[in-house]
Amino acid sequence: ESTEPRKRRALGIRKKLYEFYVAPITTFWFFTLSYLVFLGFFSFNCLVKTEEAVTIAEWCVFSYVVTMGFDLFCKVLILETSGLRQKLRLWLGRGWNVVRTMAVLLYGVGFSLRASPERQQREVGRVLLVLDSVLWFLQLLEIFMVSADLGLYMTMIMKMVVKAAGILLILLVIPTLVEQSVQLFNAA
């Protein structure tokens, strides 16, 4: 064995770019920024008037959700357990996967109704998409959990929200029912 140090070869530009883009921190920030752009488009779609024809912004959101759906499907398939039922049970055992799956499925139903030529179905689809936006914004909490400063607080908040879900439901539903019943007092 020789005691000469090995000569290091400099990485080529292609290898440097590859290593940069597959680094975990780069993929995390790329996902986070693209998710924020997605939420911006989704919010825009929920806040503007719904046109009869599907807009380009809505198609962009649709393509992101379809991509996310395929990604979730692939993640289920590559689980190391045998049998689809066990894979689904393992997959749905993690709360964030349930939220993501519900968000993708609800978006699919909402978008298909929104793309309908009938006005009533478009309105129902819009309502479903607005409700679905809550699920997509909830997933920001998972991103915040990675933060060294916010992570512990997010974990505590999530545990408290799960335990207080019944009380929160009552606090949100009852005032809404009262308000609607007062507003629609003389409605046919």
Side-chain angles (χ1 to χ4, degrees):
E1 289 183 39
S2 70
T3 57
E4 288 181 26
R6 289 186 175 181
K7 290 184 179 181
R8 290 184 145 194
R9 290 179 47 190
L11 292 176
I13 187 73
R14 293 179 77 193
K15 184 69 172 171
K16 285 181 184 178
L17 285 173
Y18 173 78
E19 293 297 330
F20 173 76
Y21 283 110
V22 297
I25 189 70
T26 307
T27 55
F28 169 77
W29 280 110
F30 180 74
F31 171 77
T32 302
L33 293 175
S34 66
Y35 193 72
L36 291 174
V37 169
F38 159 73
L39 288 177
F41 273 106
F42 201 169
S43 300
F44 174 78
N45 291 339
C46 290
L47 294 173
V48 299
K49 181 182 178 204
T50 304
E51 302 294 330
E52 282 189 41
V54 180
T55 64
I56 293 174
E58 289 173 314
W59 283 116
C60 290
V61 171
F62 175 78
S63 65
Y64 188 93
V65 173
V66 168
T67 304
M68 176 76 77
F70 280 127
D71 185 49
L72 294 177
F73 182 70
C74 289
K75 285 180 181 178
V76 169
L77 291 180
I78 64 170
L79 289 175
E80 294 182 5
T81 61
S82 61
L84 185 61
R85 179 174 280 169
Q86 288 179 341
K87 288 181 181 195
L88 286 174
R89 185 175 294 144
L90 180 64
W91 173 257
L92 296 174
R94 185 164 178 248
W96 289 114
N97 293 336
V98 173
V99 173
R100 272 190 212 102
T101 305
M102 285 175 45
V104 169
L105 293 176
L106 185 59
Y107 185 86
V109 172
F111 186 81
S112 63
L113 288 172
R114 185 268 170 265
S116 172
E118 295 182 30
R119 184 174 183 267
Q120 280 185 323
Q121 288 183 349
R122 277 199 315 271
E123 289 175 1
V124 171
R126 180 181 170 90
V127 169
L128 289 177
L129 291 174
V130 170
L131 291 173
D132 187 44
S133 70
V134 173
L135 295 175
W136 291 104
F137 273 99
L138 267 178
Q139 292 182 52
L140 278 177
L141 294 176
E142 183 182 25
I143 294 172
F144 291 151
M145 289 176 124
V146 175
S147 168
D149 298 326
L150 296 175
L152 294 174
Y153 296 116
M154 289 295 124
T155 303
M156 289 188 304
I157 290 169
M158 290 303 294
K159 287 181 181 178
M160 288 189 299
V161 166
V162 168
K163 289 182 179 180
I167 295 170
L168 289 172
L169 184 65
I170 290 169
L171 290 174
L172 294 173
V173 169
I174 291 177
T176 305
L177 288 175
V178 170
E179 177 187 0
Q180 290 298 316
S181 64
V182 169
Q183 287 181 356
L184 301 175
F185 180 70
N186 291 325

